[in-house]
Amino acid sequence: MPKRILVTGGAGFIGSHLCRKLLETGADVIAVDNLCTGREGNLADLKENPRFTFIKADILDPIELPGPLHRIYNLACPASPVGYQRLPLETLYVGSVGVSNILELALKNKARFLQTSTSEIYGDPLEHPQKETYWGNVNCVGPRACYDESKRFAESLIINFAKVHGLNAKIVRLFNTYGPQMDLDDGRVIVNFLKQALSGESLTVHGDGSQTRSPCYVSDLVSGLILMMESGEAGPVNLGNPEELTIIDLAKMIKKITGSKSEIIFLPLPKDDPTRRRPDITLAKQRLGWSPRIGLEEGLRLTIPYIVGKLKS
C-alpha cells in the first residue's frame, strides 16, 4: 500500500522538491506550509495530482489531519539569514513549539519522523571537516543565534522525546543546498551570484572571499533524505557535498559558466559568518549508501535556466 506522507515546510525550496520526489514513488503526499518563506508557486505543477494535498497552516498550532500518516518530514523553518533574521521569534518557536506539535502528531499516528537540522549548529567550526560528533562553536546570542539555537534545541527535544515515547525519529544535518526553486531574494551566496551575474550586476563577495562552502545540488540532498527515512538510522547524519571551494573561486566559476562580464567587489564580512564549511559524510556513505552525484559545475548549469526564467518574469 502506498504510504501517506506529511511534509511540513512543503512549499519551501527543498520541501517542494521532496514532495515531487515522494509522489514519484507512489506515495500520497500532504504539504503543510504557512508561506512565511515558502511559496505556493513552488508546488504549482503538483496541484492537479490527485495524490497531492496542500494545506496552508502553521505548525505552531496543533495540526489535525484525518486518516493515517506513515512518514513525517519536518522541514518547516526559515532557512536563510534573510528569512530567519526577519522572523527571529518565529524561528525560535518553530524549533520548540512547532517541533513539539509535529512530534505529538507523529506519536499519535505511529509515524516515522525525520527532522532536517543544519550544519549551522557547528557554528564557525574549529574542526574541519565537520563530523557529527563535533559539538560546534556557536555564539548563542549572535545575529544567527535564533536559527542555530532553534535547531540545536530541536535536536535535543527530538532525541529525548523519542527516548521517552519510543518514537522512530531521525535527524539529518543539511549543508549548503542549491538548485531550481531557490528564492532569488533569500541572500544565500549561490543564488546571489547567479542573479548578479545574469543581470550584469557586480558580484558581491563578503570578506576577502577565502571562506569556504560545500554546495550540494538539491536532487542529491532529497535522495539522502528519503534514504535516511527508510533506513534503520536515527542520526544525526550529515548530508552535503564535501566538494569544498572558496567563495572567490565560486564567484569566478559562476562568471565563467554564465559568460558574465560583471566585476567582483568586496563587502564587509557579516558577524559570525562561518569561515569554513565542509561535511564529513562518512556516516552517510557507510550507513545509507549515499553520496552526492552531481558536481558543482553541472548543478549550476542545471540551475541557471530557473534563474533566467525568474529574472524575466
Side-chain angles (χ1 to χ4, degrees), residues 214-226:
S214 303
C216 183
Y217 190 68
V218 65
S219 64
D220 281 333
L221 190 282
V222 165
S223 71
L225 293 178
I226 295 172

Side-chain angles (χ1 to χ4, degrees), residues 3-281:
K3 295 181 177 67
R4 194 162 184 257
I5 301 175
L6 171 65
V7 179
T8 69
F13 160 46
I14 297 174
S16 59
H17 282 274
L18 177 61
C19 288
R20 201 166 285 108
K21 191 64 177 179
L22 291 170
L23 286 166
E24 290 176 8
T25 71
D28 293 331
V29 177
I30 303 164
V32 166
D33 203 301
N34 70 354
L35 303 180
C36 71
T37 57
R39 292 177 291 119
E40 204 168 346
N42 285 341
L43 303 169
D45 61 311
L46 305 182
K47 291 297 183 68
E48 302 305 316
N49 190 318
R51 290 185 287 103
F52 178 74
T53 304
F54 173 71
I55 299 172
K56 184 180 179 182
D58 195 325
I59 68 166
L60 297 186
D61 303 313
I63 295 173
E64 294 292 334
L65 294 173
L69 291 172
H70 304 104
R71 304 284 189 268
I72 298 177
Y73 291 83
N74 186 39
L75 283 73
C77 187
S80 73
V82 169
Y84 60 68
Q85 289 174 4
R86 177 171 59 87
L87 300 165
L89 295 181
E90 292 87 343
T91 300
L92 286 160
Y93 295 149
V94 81
S96 49
V97 177
V99 170
S100 178
N101 285 336
I102 301 303
L103 286 169
E104 292 288 352
L105 183 64
L107 185 63
K108 177 182 176 181
N109 285 273
K110 299 180 180 177
R112 290 191 184 189
F113 172 95
L114 184 145
Q115 168 74 6
T116 53
S117 188
T118 175
S119 61
E120 293 292 332
I121 71 158
Y122 299 126
D124 189 6
L126 303 178
E127 172 181 294
H128 192 78
Q130 294 83 56
K131 295 185 178 73
E132 293 86 350
T133 51
Y134 179 52
W135 291 356
N137 178 37
V138 176
N139 178 359
C140 64
V141 295
R144 306 169 75 97
C146 61
Y147 184 64
D148 303 348
E149 297 302 320
S150 172
K151 293 292 190 177
R152 284 157 64 95
F153 177 83
E155 287 197 13
S156 182
L157 174 59
I158 291 159
I159 287 169
N160 286 282
F161 188 98
K163 186 186 301 181
V164 170
H165 295 289
L167 182 70
N168 188 340
K170 302 157 183 295
I171 298 169
V172 291
R173 293 173 179 163
L174 310 186
F175 282 67
N176 307 97
T177 309
Y178 69 99
Q181 295 181 296
M182 292 185 294
D183 183 347
L184 265 60
D185 297 317
D186 78 1
R188 285 181 278 197
V189 65
I190 284 183
V191 71
N192 271 0
F193 284 172
L194 285 173
K195 181 173 67 171
Q196 290 165 345
L198 292 165
S199 301
E201 301 172 2
S202 297
L203 274 65
T204 52
V205 171
H206 291 87
D208 63 6
S210 64
Q211 65 271 36
T212 68
R213 296 294 182 268
S214 303
C216 183
Y217 190 68
V218 65
S219 64
D220 281 333
L221 190 282
V222 165
S223 71
L225 293 178
I226 295 172
L227 283 169
M228 181 67 175
M229 178 65 91
E230 301 307 320
S231 76
E233 296 300 312
V237 171
N238 289 336
L239 293 180
N241 192 329
E243 184 183 345
E244 179 185 19
L245 81 168
T246 65
I247 298 299
I248 190 65
D249 285 343
L250 175 62
K252 291 175 181 177
M253 178 185 288
I254 286 175
K255 278 193 62 175
K256 178 182 176 183
I257 291 172
T258 59
S260 172
K261 302 300 183 184
S262 299
E263 64 174 332
I264 297 173
I265 63 174
F266 296 87
L267 299 176
L269 190 67
K271 181 176 172 57
D272 295 337
D273 192 61
T275 54
R276 301 186 78 185
R277 185 61 53 79
R278 180 187 174 200
D280 183 314
I281 61 168

Side-chain angles (χ1 to χ4, degrees), residues 290-306:
W290 177 88
S291 59
R293 297 179 178 181
I294 296 178
L296 179 57
E297 185 167 336
E298 180 185 359
L300 290 172
R301 293 188 187 279
L302 290 169
T303 305
I304 286 170
Y306 164 78

